[in-house]
Short mmCIF file of all heavy atoms in Angstrom, two decimals:
data_model
loop_
_atom_site.label_atom_id
_atom_site.label_comp_id
_atom_site.label_asym_id
_atom_site.label_seq_id
_atom_site.Cartn_x
_atom_site.Cartn_y
_atom_site.Cartn_z
N MET K 15 -79.40 50.15 -126.28
CA MET K 15 -78.30 49.37 -126.78
C MET K 15 -77.48 48.69 -125.65
O MET K 15 -77.14 47.56 -125.77
CB MET K 15 -77.47 50.29 -127.60
CG MET K 15 -76.35 49.55 -128.38
SD MET K 15 -77.00 48.49 -129.66
CE MET K 15 -75.72 48.68 -130.80
N GLU K 16 -77.27 49.53 -124.65
CA GLU K 16 -76.48 48.99 -123.45
C GLU K 16 -77.24 47.89 -122.79
O GLU K 16 -76.60 46.87 -122.35
CB GLU K 16 -76.17 50.10 -122.49
CG GLU K 16 -75.16 51.10 -122.92
CD GLU K 16 -75.04 52.29 -121.96
OE1 GLU K 16 -75.31 52.08 -120.76
OE2 GLU K 16 -74.57 53.35 -122.37
N ILE K 17 -78.55 48.01 -122.70
CA ILE K 17 -79.31 47.00 -122.04
C ILE K 17 -79.29 45.68 -122.78
O ILE K 17 -79.19 44.58 -122.18
CB ILE K 17 -80.77 47.44 -121.80
CG1 ILE K 17 -80.81 48.65 -120.86
CG2 ILE K 17 -81.67 46.34 -121.29
CD1 ILE K 17 -82.19 49.29 -120.73
N GLY K 18 -79.43 45.77 -124.12
CA GLY K 18 -79.34 44.53 -124.93
C GLY K 18 -78.03 43.84 -124.86
O GLY K 18 -77.97 42.55 -124.75
N ILE K 19 -76.93 44.57 -124.89
CA ILE K 19 -75.60 43.95 -124.76
C ILE K 19 -75.39 43.40 -123.36
O ILE K 19 -74.79 42.36 -123.19
CB ILE K 19 -74.51 44.98 -125.13
CG1 ILE K 19 -74.65 45.36 -126.59
CG2 ILE K 19 -73.13 44.40 -124.79
CD1 ILE K 19 -73.67 46.50 -127.02
N SER K 20 -75.99 44.10 -122.31
CA SER K 20 -75.79 43.58 -120.95
C SER K 20 -76.61 42.24 -120.78
O SER K 20 -76.17 41.33 -120.16
CB SER K 20 -76.35 44.58 -120.02
OG SER K 20 -75.57 45.79 -119.98
N ILE K 21 -77.77 42.19 -121.40
CA ILE K 21 -78.51 40.91 -121.33
C ILE K 21 -77.83 39.82 -122.07
O ILE K 21 -77.75 38.69 -121.61
CB ILE K 21 -79.95 41.16 -121.89
CG1 ILE K 21 -80.76 42.07 -120.94
CG2 ILE K 21 -80.66 39.82 -122.08
CD1 ILE K 21 -82.10 42.54 -121.50
N ALA K 22 -77.28 40.14 -123.20
CA ALA K 22 -76.52 39.13 -124.00
C ALA K 22 -75.30 38.65 -123.17
O ALA K 22 -74.88 37.50 -123.14
CB ALA K 22 -76.05 39.71 -125.34
N LEU K 23 -74.60 39.54 -122.42
CA LEU K 23 -73.48 39.26 -121.63
C LEU K 23 -73.86 38.36 -120.49
O LEU K 23 -73.15 37.34 -120.20
CB LEU K 23 -72.85 40.58 -121.11
CG LEU K 23 -71.61 40.35 -120.20
CD1 LEU K 23 -70.47 39.68 -120.97
CD2 LEU K 23 -71.19 41.71 -119.70
N ILE K 24 -75.01 38.62 -119.85
CA ILE K 24 -75.43 37.79 -118.71
C ILE K 24 -75.83 36.39 -119.24
O ILE K 24 -75.42 35.38 -118.65
CB ILE K 24 -76.68 38.46 -117.99
CG1 ILE K 24 -76.23 39.69 -117.29
CG2 ILE K 24 -77.35 37.48 -117.04
CD1 ILE K 24 -77.34 40.54 -116.75
N LEU K 25 -76.45 36.29 -120.39
CA LEU K 25 -76.80 34.93 -120.91
C LEU K 25 -75.61 34.16 -121.35
O LEU K 25 -75.49 33.00 -121.11
CB LEU K 25 -77.78 35.13 -122.14
CG LEU K 25 -79.18 35.60 -121.78
CD1 LEU K 25 -79.95 35.89 -123.07
CD2 LEU K 25 -79.86 34.67 -120.85
N ALA K 26 -74.64 34.88 -121.99
CA ALA K 26 -73.37 34.24 -122.41
C ALA K 26 -72.65 33.77 -121.20
O ALA K 26 -71.94 32.67 -121.22
CB ALA K 26 -72.61 35.16 -123.23
N SER K 27 -72.57 34.54 -120.11
CA SER K 27 -71.83 34.20 -118.89
C SER K 27 -72.43 32.92 -118.30
O SER K 27 -71.75 32.02 -117.93
CB SER K 27 -71.93 35.34 -117.83
OG SER K 27 -71.26 36.42 -118.38
N GLY K 28 -73.78 32.88 -118.15
CA GLY K 28 -74.41 31.73 -117.57
C GLY K 28 -74.23 30.51 -118.45
O GLY K 28 -73.87 29.42 -117.94
N LEU K 29 -74.27 30.63 -119.73
CA LEU K 29 -74.06 29.42 -120.66
C LEU K 29 -72.63 28.99 -120.59
O LEU K 29 -72.27 27.87 -120.65
CB LEU K 29 -74.44 29.88 -122.10
CG LEU K 29 -74.37 28.77 -123.14
CD1 LEU K 29 -75.30 27.61 -122.81
CD2 LEU K 29 -74.76 29.35 -124.49
N MET K 30 -71.71 29.97 -120.46
CA MET K 30 -70.27 29.67 -120.40
C MET K 30 -69.96 28.82 -119.15
O MET K 30 -69.24 27.81 -119.13
CB MET K 30 -69.38 30.90 -120.41
CG MET K 30 -67.92 30.67 -120.36
SD MET K 30 -67.28 29.86 -121.80
CE MET K 30 -66.87 31.24 -122.74
N ILE K 31 -70.52 29.18 -118.02
CA ILE K 31 -70.34 28.50 -116.73
C ILE K 31 -70.85 27.04 -116.97
O ILE K 31 -70.18 26.09 -116.58
CB ILE K 31 -71.09 29.18 -115.53
CG1 ILE K 31 -70.38 30.49 -115.25
CG2 ILE K 31 -71.19 28.30 -114.33
CD1 ILE K 31 -71.14 31.44 -114.29
N LEU K 32 -72.03 26.92 -117.50
CA LEU K 32 -72.61 25.60 -117.70
C LEU K 32 -71.78 24.71 -118.65
O LEU K 32 -71.49 23.55 -118.34
CB LEU K 32 -74.06 25.72 -118.29
CG LEU K 32 -74.75 24.46 -118.58
CD1 LEU K 32 -75.11 23.70 -117.30
CD2 LEU K 32 -75.99 24.71 -119.43
N LEU K 33 -71.31 25.34 -119.75
CA LEU K 33 -70.51 24.53 -120.67
C LEU K 33 -69.12 24.10 -120.05
O LEU K 33 -68.65 22.99 -120.30
CB LEU K 33 -70.28 25.35 -121.90
CG LEU K 33 -71.49 25.56 -122.81
CD1 LEU K 33 -71.15 26.55 -123.97
CD2 LEU K 33 -71.98 24.24 -123.35
N VAL K 34 -68.57 24.98 -119.34
CA VAL K 34 -67.26 24.62 -118.66
C VAL K 34 -67.48 23.48 -117.66
O VAL K 34 -66.65 22.56 -117.60
CB VAL K 34 -66.60 25.85 -118.01
CG1 VAL K 34 -65.46 25.46 -117.08
CG2 VAL K 34 -66.13 26.83 -119.01
N LEU K 35 -68.55 23.51 -116.88
CA LEU K 35 -68.79 22.47 -115.95
C LEU K 35 -69.10 21.13 -116.66
O LEU K 35 -68.94 20.11 -116.01
CB LEU K 35 -69.99 22.88 -115.05
CG LEU K 35 -69.63 23.92 -113.96
CD1 LEU K 35 -70.92 24.30 -113.24
CD2 LEU K 35 -68.56 23.47 -113.05
N LEU K 36 -69.65 21.19 -117.91
CA LEU K 36 -69.92 19.92 -118.52
C LEU K 36 -68.76 19.30 -119.21
O LEU K 36 -68.81 18.11 -119.54
CB LEU K 36 -71.01 20.19 -119.67
CG LEU K 36 -72.41 20.41 -119.18
CD1 LEU K 36 -73.32 20.80 -120.35
CD2 LEU K 36 -72.92 19.21 -118.44
N HIS K 37 -67.67 19.97 -119.33
CA HIS K 37 -66.42 19.37 -119.90
C HIS K 37 -65.91 18.25 -119.06
O HIS K 37 -66.06 18.26 -117.84
CB HIS K 37 -65.34 20.46 -120.07
CG HIS K 37 -65.44 21.23 -121.34
ND1 HIS K 37 -65.03 20.73 -122.57
CD2 HIS K 37 -66.02 22.37 -121.66
CE1 HIS K 37 -65.24 21.65 -123.48
NE2 HIS K 37 -65.86 22.67 -122.97
N LYS K 38 -65.30 17.28 -119.72
CA LYS K 38 -64.80 16.13 -119.05
C LYS K 38 -63.58 16.55 -118.23
O LYS K 38 -62.65 16.99 -118.74
CB LYS K 38 -64.47 15.04 -120.05
CG LYS K 38 -63.92 13.81 -119.48
CD LYS K 38 -63.58 12.83 -120.56
CE LYS K 38 -62.84 11.65 -119.96
NZ LYS K 38 -62.30 10.82 -121.00
N GLY K 39 -63.61 16.29 -116.99
CA GLY K 39 -62.46 16.51 -116.09
C GLY K 39 -61.50 15.38 -116.00
O GLY K 39 -61.78 14.25 -116.50
N LYS K 40 -60.36 15.58 -115.40
CA LYS K 40 -59.36 14.53 -115.22
C LYS K 40 -59.77 13.45 -114.22
O LYS K 40 -59.53 12.31 -114.32
CB LYS K 40 -58.00 15.06 -114.92
CG LYS K 40 -57.38 15.83 -116.00
CD LYS K 40 -56.04 16.37 -115.76
CE LYS K 40 -55.44 17.04 -116.84
NZ LYS K 40 -54.10 17.49 -116.60
N GLY K 41 -60.47 13.92 -113.12
CA GLY K 41 -60.80 13.09 -112.09
C GLY K 41 -62.24 13.01 -111.77
O GLY K 41 -62.71 12.92 -110.64
N GLY K 42 -63.14 13.16 -112.79
CA GLY K 42 -64.54 13.11 -112.54
C GLY K 42 -65.06 14.47 -112.11
O GLY K 42 -64.41 15.45 -112.21
N GLY K 43 -66.27 14.56 -111.56
CA GLY K 43 -66.77 15.81 -111.09
C GLY K 43 -68.19 16.05 -111.64
O GLY K 43 -68.85 15.05 -111.86
N LEU K 44 -68.54 17.24 -111.92
CA LEU K 44 -69.90 17.54 -112.42
C LEU K 44 -70.12 16.98 -113.79
O LEU K 44 -71.22 16.66 -114.20
CB LEU K 44 -70.12 19.05 -112.35
CG LEU K 44 -70.34 19.68 -111.02
CD1 LEU K 44 -70.58 21.14 -111.19
CD2 LEU K 44 -71.48 19.04 -110.36
N SER K 45 -69.01 16.89 -114.59
CA SER K 45 -69.20 16.36 -115.96
C SER K 45 -69.65 14.90 -115.97
O SER K 45 -70.50 14.52 -116.80
CB SER K 45 -67.90 16.44 -116.79
OG SER K 45 -66.85 15.71 -116.13
N ASP K 46 -69.27 14.13 -115.04
CA ASP K 46 -69.71 12.74 -114.92
C ASP K 46 -71.19 12.71 -114.44
O ASP K 46 -71.85 11.77 -114.87
CB ASP K 46 -68.86 11.97 -113.94
CG ASP K 46 -67.45 11.72 -114.42
OD1 ASP K 46 -67.26 11.71 -115.66
OD2 ASP K 46 -66.54 11.53 -113.60
N MET K 47 -71.61 13.63 -113.65
CA MET K 47 -72.99 13.64 -113.24
C MET K 47 -73.96 13.77 -114.36
O MET K 47 -75.06 13.26 -114.36
CB MET K 47 -73.14 14.70 -112.16
CG MET K 47 -74.49 14.69 -111.49
SD MET K 47 -74.71 16.11 -110.34
CE MET K 47 -73.20 16.21 -109.48
N PHE K 48 -73.56 14.54 -115.38
CA PHE K 48 -74.43 14.89 -116.53
C PHE K 48 -74.15 14.06 -117.77
O PHE K 48 -74.50 14.46 -118.87
CB PHE K 48 -74.33 16.39 -116.85
CG PHE K 48 -74.83 17.25 -115.81
CD1 PHE K 48 -74.00 18.05 -115.04
CD2 PHE K 48 -76.16 17.27 -115.44
CE1 PHE K 48 -74.44 18.87 -114.03
CE2 PHE K 48 -76.68 18.07 -114.43
CZ PHE K 48 -75.74 18.85 -113.73
N GLY K 49 -73.47 12.97 -117.62
CA GLY K 49 -73.21 12.10 -118.80
C GLY K 49 -71.80 12.21 -119.33
O GLY K 49 -71.55 11.60 -120.37
N GLY K 50 -70.89 12.87 -118.73
CA GLY K 50 -69.57 13.02 -119.28
C GLY K 50 -68.83 11.71 -119.19
O GLY K 50 -67.95 11.34 -120.06
N GLY K 51 -69.15 10.88 -118.22
CA GLY K 51 -68.51 9.59 -118.10
C GLY K 51 -68.91 8.56 -119.15
O GLY K 51 -68.21 7.63 -119.42
N PHE K 52 -70.10 8.81 -119.65
CA PHE K 52 -70.70 7.86 -120.72
C PHE K 52 -69.83 7.95 -122.00
O PHE K 52 -69.59 6.90 -122.51
CB PHE K 52 -72.17 8.24 -120.99
CG PHE K 52 -72.72 7.43 -122.00
CD1 PHE K 52 -73.14 6.06 -121.80
CD2 PHE K 52 -72.99 7.87 -123.31
CE1 PHE K 52 -73.73 5.29 -122.74
CE2 PHE K 52 -73.55 7.10 -124.25
CZ PHE K 52 -74.02 5.79 -124.00
N SER K 53 -69.47 9.13 -122.41
CA SER K 53 -68.76 9.27 -123.66
C SER K 53 -67.28 8.83 -123.52
O SER K 53 -66.63 8.48 -124.50
CB SER K 53 -68.84 10.66 -124.19
OG SER K 53 -68.18 11.59 -123.23
N SER K 54 -66.83 8.78 -122.31
CA SER K 54 -65.35 8.33 -122.10
C SER K 54 -65.24 6.82 -122.38
O SER K 54 -64.09 6.40 -122.54
CB SER K 54 -64.89 8.67 -120.70
OG SER K 54 -65.61 7.97 -119.74
N ASN K 55 -66.27 6.02 -122.37
CA ASN K 55 -66.17 4.62 -122.65
C ASN K 55 -65.82 4.33 -124.06
O ASN K 55 -65.35 3.29 -124.35
CB ASN K 55 -67.51 3.95 -122.24
CG ASN K 55 -67.79 4.00 -120.80
OD1 ASN K 55 -66.91 4.11 -119.93
ND2 ASN K 55 -69.09 3.94 -120.44
N PHE K 56 -66.00 5.22 -124.94
CA PHE K 56 -65.77 5.00 -126.32
C PHE K 56 -64.38 5.48 -126.74
O PHE K 56 -63.97 5.28 -127.88
CB PHE K 56 -66.84 5.77 -127.21
CG PHE K 56 -68.17 5.30 -126.98
CD1 PHE K 56 -69.08 6.04 -126.26
CD2 PHE K 56 -68.64 4.02 -127.37
CE1 PHE K 56 -70.38 5.62 -126.00
CE2 PHE K 56 -69.92 3.59 -127.08
CZ PHE K 56 -70.74 4.41 -126.42
N GLY K 57 -63.60 5.94 -125.87
CA GLY K 57 -62.21 6.41 -126.08
C GLY K 57 -62.06 7.62 -126.96
O GLY K 57 -63.02 8.02 -127.63
N GLY K 58 -60.99 8.19 -126.92
CA GLY K 58 -60.69 9.36 -127.81
C GLY K 58 -61.61 10.50 -127.55
O GLY K 58 -62.30 10.57 -126.52
N SER K 59 -61.62 11.43 -128.46
CA SER K 59 -62.59 12.53 -128.36
C SER K 59 -63.80 12.20 -129.26
O SER K 59 -63.67 12.04 -130.44
CB SER K 59 -61.97 13.84 -128.69
OG SER K 59 -61.88 14.03 -130.02
N SER K 60 -64.98 12.18 -128.69
CA SER K 60 -66.11 11.77 -129.38
C SER K 60 -66.76 13.06 -130.06
O SER K 60 -66.24 14.11 -129.86
CB SER K 60 -67.18 11.16 -128.44
OG SER K 60 -67.64 12.14 -127.52
N VAL K 61 -67.75 12.81 -130.80
CA VAL K 61 -68.43 13.91 -131.52
C VAL K 61 -69.03 14.85 -130.54
O VAL K 61 -69.05 16.02 -130.70
CB VAL K 61 -69.49 13.34 -132.52
CG1 VAL K 61 -70.35 14.41 -133.07
CG2 VAL K 61 -68.84 12.43 -133.54
N VAL K 62 -69.56 14.31 -129.44
CA VAL K 62 -70.22 15.12 -128.38
C VAL K 62 -69.14 16.06 -127.79
O VAL K 62 -69.37 17.24 -127.55
CB VAL K 62 -70.85 14.26 -127.39
CG1 VAL K 62 -71.41 15.10 -126.22
CG2 VAL K 62 -71.98 13.39 -127.91
N GLU K 63 -67.97 15.53 -127.47
CA GLU K 63 -66.92 16.36 -126.92
C GLU K 63 -66.41 17.46 -127.82
O GLU K 63 -66.17 18.55 -127.40
CB GLU K 63 -65.73 15.50 -126.46
CG GLU K 63 -66.03 14.58 -125.29
CD GLU K 63 -64.92 13.59 -124.99
OE1 GLU K 63 -63.80 13.77 -125.54
OE2 GLU K 63 -65.10 12.70 -124.17
N ARG K 64 -66.33 17.17 -129.10
CA ARG K 64 -65.91 18.10 -130.09
C ARG K 64 -66.93 19.22 -130.29
O ARG K 64 -66.60 20.45 -130.37
CB ARG K 64 -65.60 17.51 -131.41
CG ARG K 64 -64.18 16.77 -131.48
CD ARG K 64 -63.95 16.21 -132.80
NE ARG K 64 -64.61 14.85 -132.79
CZ ARG K 64 -64.89 14.23 -133.85
NH1 ARG K 64 -64.69 14.68 -135.05
NH2 ARG K 64 -65.44 13.01 -133.70
N ASN K 65 -68.25 18.80 -130.27
CA ASN K 65 -69.24 19.84 -130.42
C ASN K 65 -69.33 20.71 -129.14
O ASN K 65 -69.58 21.93 -129.20
CB ASN K 65 -70.61 19.18 -130.66
CG ASN K 65 -70.74 18.59 -132.07
OD1 ASN K 65 -70.05 19.04 -132.95
ND2 ASN K 65 -71.55 17.65 -132.24
N LEU K 66 -69.06 20.08 -127.96
CA LEU K 66 -69.06 20.85 -126.75
C LEU K 66 -67.85 21.88 -126.80
O LEU K 66 -68.02 22.95 -126.33
CB LEU K 66 -68.91 19.92 -125.57
CG LEU K 66 -68.96 20.54 -124.19
CD1 LEU K 66 -70.31 21.25 -123.94
CD2 LEU K 66 -68.83 19.48 -123.06
N ASP K 67 -66.77 21.44 -127.31
CA ASP K 67 -65.63 22.37 -127.39
C ASP K 67 -65.94 23.49 -128.35
O ASP K 67 -65.65 24.67 -128.00
CB ASP K 67 -64.36 21.61 -127.97
CG ASP K 67 -63.81 20.64 -126.99
OD1 ASP K 67 -64.03 20.79 -125.74
OD2 ASP K 67 -63.01 19.76 -127.35
N ARG K 68 -66.55 23.20 -129.44
CA ARG K 68 -66.99 24.22 -130.46
C ARG K 68 -67.91 25.26 -129.80
O ARG K 68 -67.83 26.45 -129.96
CB ARG K 68 -67.46 23.61 -131.70
CG ARG K 68 -66.50 22.89 -132.54
CD ARG K 68 -67.15 22.26 -133.74
NE ARG K 68 -66.12 21.48 -134.43
CZ ARG K 68 -66.35 20.40 -135.05
NH1 ARG K 68 -67.66 19.94 -135.09
NH2 ARG K 68 -65.46 19.64 -135.73
N LEU K 69 -68.98 24.70 -129.12
CA LEU K 69 -69.96 25.55 -128.54
C LEU K 69 -69.35 26.47 -127.43
O LEU K 69 -69.69 27.64 -127.30
CB LEU K 69 -71.06 24.74 -127.95
CG LEU K 69 -72.32 25.44 -127.50
CD1 LEU K 69 -72.93 26.24 -128.64
CD2 LEU K 69 -73.36 24.44 -127.02
N THR K 70 -68.37 25.89 -126.70
CA THR K 70 -67.72 26.68 -125.69
C THR K 70 -66.89 27.80 -126.26
O THR K 70 -66.87 28.91 -125.76
CB THR K 70 -66.79 25.76 -124.78
OG1 THR K 70 -67.58 24.69 -124.24
CG2 THR K 70 -66.16 26.53 -123.69
N ILE K 71 -66.17 27.54 -127.41
CA ILE K 71 -65.38 28.51 -128.03
C ILE K 71 -66.29 29.66 -128.62
O ILE K 71 -65.93 30.80 -128.49
CB ILE K 71 -64.51 27.89 -129.11
CG1 ILE K 71 -63.42 26.96 -128.48
CG2 ILE K 71 -63.98 28.95 -130.09
CD1 ILE K 71 -62.65 26.23 -129.52
N ILE K 72 -67.40 29.23 -129.18
CA ILE K 72 -68.32 30.21 -129.77
C ILE K 72 -68.93 31.05 -128.67
O ILE K 72 -68.99 32.36 -128.76
CB ILE K 72 -69.47 29.49 -130.59
CG1 ILE K 72 -68.86 28.94 -131.87
CG2 ILE K 72 -70.58 30.50 -130.90
CD1 ILE K 72 -69.82 27.97 -132.59
N THR K 73 -69.32 30.42 -127.53
CA THR K 73 -69.88 31.25 -126.43
C THR K 73 -68.83 32.14 -125.80
O THR K 73 -69.15 33.32 -125.49
CB THR K 73 -70.42 30.26 -125.32
OG1 THR K 73 -71.40 29.38 -125.98
CG2 THR K 73 -71.09 31.04 -124.25
N GLY K 74 -67.61 31.70 -125.79
CA GLY K 74 -66.50 32.59 -125.22
C GLY K 74 -66.31 33.77 -126.15
O GLY K 74 -66.06 34.84 -125.66
N THR K 75 -66.38 33.53 -127.42
CA THR K 75 -66.23 34.60 -128.40
C THR K 75 -67.34 35.65 -128.27
O THR K 75 -67.06 36.86 -128.30
CB THR K 75 -66.13 34.11 -129.82
OG1 THR K 75 -65.07 33.12 -129.87
CG2 THR K 75 -65.90 35.15 -130.84
N VAL K 76 -68.56 35.17 -128.09
CA VAL K 76 -69.69 36.04 -127.96
C VAL K 76 -69.50 36.86 -126.67
O VAL K 76 -69.80 38.08 -126.59
CB VAL K 76 -71.03 35.30 -127.94
CG1 VAL K 76 -72.15 36.15 -127.55
CG2 VAL K 76 -71.27 34.77 -129.36
N TRP K 77 -69.07 36.23 -125.61
CA TRP K 77 -68.90 36.86 -124.31
C TRP K 77 -67.80 37.95 -124.42
O TRP K 77 -68.00 39.05 -123.96
CB TRP K 77 -68.44 35.72 -123.23
CG TRP K 77 -68.23 36.31 -121.87
CD1 TRP K 77 -69.11 36.51 -120.96
CD2 TRP K 77 -66.95 36.68 -121.36
NE1 TRP K 77 -68.52 37.00 -119.86
CE2 TRP K 77 -67.19 37.13 -120.02
CE3 TRP K 77 -65.64 36.65 -121.88
CZ2 TRP K 77 -66.18 37.56 -119.17
CZ3 TRP K 77 -64.68 37.11 -120.99
CH2 TRP K 77 -64.92 37.53 -119.74
N PHE K 78 -66.73 37.62 -125.11
CA PHE K 78 -65.60 38.56 -125.26
C PHE K 78 -66.05 39.83 -126.12
O PHE K 78 -65.73 40.95 -125.78
CB PHE K 78 -64.48 37.88 -126.03
CG PHE K 78 -63.23 38.82 -126.14
CD1 PHE K 78 -62.46 39.08 -125.07
CD2 PHE K 78 -62.93 39.25 -127.43
CE1 PHE K 78 -61.36 39.94 -125.23
CE2 PHE K 78 -61.81 40.05 -127.60
CZ PHE K 78 -61.04 40.48 -126.51
N VAL K 79 -66.82 39.57 -127.16
CA VAL K 79 -67.31 40.66 -128.01
C VAL K 79 -68.27 41.55 -127.19
O VAL K 79 -68.27 42.77 -127.30
CB VAL K 79 -68.04 40.12 -129.27
CG1 VAL K 79 -68.81 41.16 -130.05
CG2 VAL K 79 -66.95 39.49 -130.20
N CYS K 80 -69.16 40.93 -126.31
CA CYS K 80 -70.03 41.72 -125.54
C CYS K 80 -69.29 42.61 -124.48
O CYS K 80 -69.66 43.71 -124.30
CB CYS K 80 -70.96 40.78 -124.73
SG CYS K 80 -72.26 40.03 -125.79
N ILE K 81 -68.22 42.05 -123.95
CA ILE K 81 -67.41 42.85 -123.01
C ILE K 81 -66.80 44.00 -123.71
O ILE K 81 -66.84 45.13 -123.25
CB ILE K 81 -66.28 41.94 -122.41
CG1 ILE K 81 -66.87 40.89 -121.42
CG2 ILE K 81 -65.26 42.80 -121.65
CD1 ILE K 81 -67.37 41.36 -120.16
N ILE K 82 -66.20 43.79 -124.88
CA ILE K 82 -65.57 44.90 -125.65
C ILE K 82 -66.60 45.93 -126.07
O ILE K 82 -66.38 47.13 -125.90
CB ILE K 82 -64.84 44.36 -126.92
CG1 ILE K 82 -63.72 43.42 -126.51
CG2 ILE K 82 -64.32 45.46 -127.72
CD1 ILE K 82 -62.64 44.04 -125.63
N ALA K 83 -67.75 45.47 -126.59
CA ALA K 83 -68.78 46.42 -127.03
C ALA K 83 -69.28 47.23 -125.89
O ALA K 83 -69.56 48.45 -125.95
CB ALA K 83 -69.89 45.61 -127.70
N LEU K 84 -69.58 46.57 -124.72
CA LEU K 84 -70.07 47.33 -123.60
C LEU K 84 -69.10 48.30 -123.07
O LEU K 84 -69.42 49.48 -122.66
CB LEU K 84 -70.47 46.26 -122.48
CG LEU K 84 -71.38 46.77 -121.36
CD1 LEU K 84 -72.62 47.31 -121.90
CD2 LEU K 84 -71.63 45.68 -120.39
N GLY K 85 -67.80 47.96 -123.09
CA GLY K 85 -66.75 48.80 -122.58
C GLY K 85 -66.67 50.05 -123.56
O GLY K 85 -66.51 51.19 -123.06
N LEU K 86 -66.77 49.82 -124.85
CA LEU K 86 -66.71 50.99 -125.81
C LEU K 86 -67.90 51.88 -125.65
O LEU K 86 -67.81 53.05 -125.79
CB LEU K 86 -66.65 50.43 -127.25
CG LEU K 86 -65.25 49.80 -127.55
CD1 LEU K 86 -65.35 49.16 -128.96
CD2 LEU K 86 -64.20 50.81 -127.47
N LEU K 87 -69.05 51.28 -125.41
CA LEU K 87 -70.31 52.14 -125.21
C LEU K 87 -70.25 52.92 -123.94
O LEU K 87 -70.72 54.05 -123.97
CB LEU K 87 -71.54 51.21 -125.20
CG LEU K 87 -72.09 50.81 -126.55
CD1 LEU K 87 -73.28 49.73 -126.36
CD2 LEU K 87 -72.56 51.91 -127.37
N LEU K 88 -69.79 52.31 -122.87
CA LEU K 88 -69.74 53.03 -121.67
C LEU K 88 -68.59 54.12 -121.60
O LEU K 88 -68.71 55.04 -120.82
CB LEU K 88 -69.53 52.07 -120.48
CG LEU K 88 -70.74 51.16 -120.21
CD1 LEU K 88 -70.49 50.20 -119.07
CD2 LEU K 88 -72.00 51.97 -119.89
N LYS K 89 -67.56 53.90 -122.42
CA LYS K 89 -66.46 54.90 -122.46
C LYS K 89 -66.88 56.19 -123.12
O LYS K 89 -66.47 57.27 -122.71
CB LYS K 89 -65.29 54.24 -123.26
CG LYS K 89 -64.06 55.06 -123.18
CD LYS K 89 -62.89 54.33 -123.94
CE LYS K 89 -61.69 55.13 -123.89
NZ LYS K 89 -60.57 54.54 -124.64
N SER K 90 -67.70 56.09 -124.15
CA SER K 90 -68.06 57.22 -124.93
C SER K 90 -69.31 57.89 -124.41
O SER K 90 -69.84 57.66 -123.43
CB SER K 90 -68.36 56.89 -126.36
OG SER K 90 -69.33 55.93 -126.51
#
């Protein structure tokens, strides 16, 4: 059980890092390198940005649940 949660935590952590780097920054950066600048031409928040926000929130929630579950398993 601990191994499965640890693997899920590692995967969620890697995905979280990737998703945060893909977000549109104020002054460019890695997000422009992977197409973040393309969606800014259409103004406002596009469908891609909203879906990226949702995916980041879901990944963060999974990461948080994995941390709590692993902490509870290791405590007992």
Side-chain angles (χ1 to χ4, degrees):
M15 187 70 145
E16 290 176 22
I17 295 173
I19 294 175
S20 296
I21 291 172
L23 179 63
I24 291 169
L25 292 175
S27 298
L29 185 59
M30 181 69 92
I31 291 169
L32 179 69
L33 291 173
V34 168
L35 288 176
L36 285 176
H37 274 278
K38 181 180 172 191
K40 291 184 179 181
L44 285 178
S45 61
D46 290 336
M47 190 184 313
F48 295 111
F52 178 73
S53 62
S54 66
N55 293 334
F56 299 108
S59 79
S60 67
V61 175
V62 174
E63 291 175 10
R64 281 182 276 159
N65 287 337
L66 184 61
D67 289 341
R68 290 178 187 146
L69 190 57
T70 305
I71 291 170
I72 291 169
T73 305
T75 304
V76 168
W77 181 84
F78 183 74
V79 168
C80 286
I81 290 287
I82 297 297
L84 196 57
L86 289 174
L87 278 175
L88 293 177
K89 185 179 180 182
S90 57

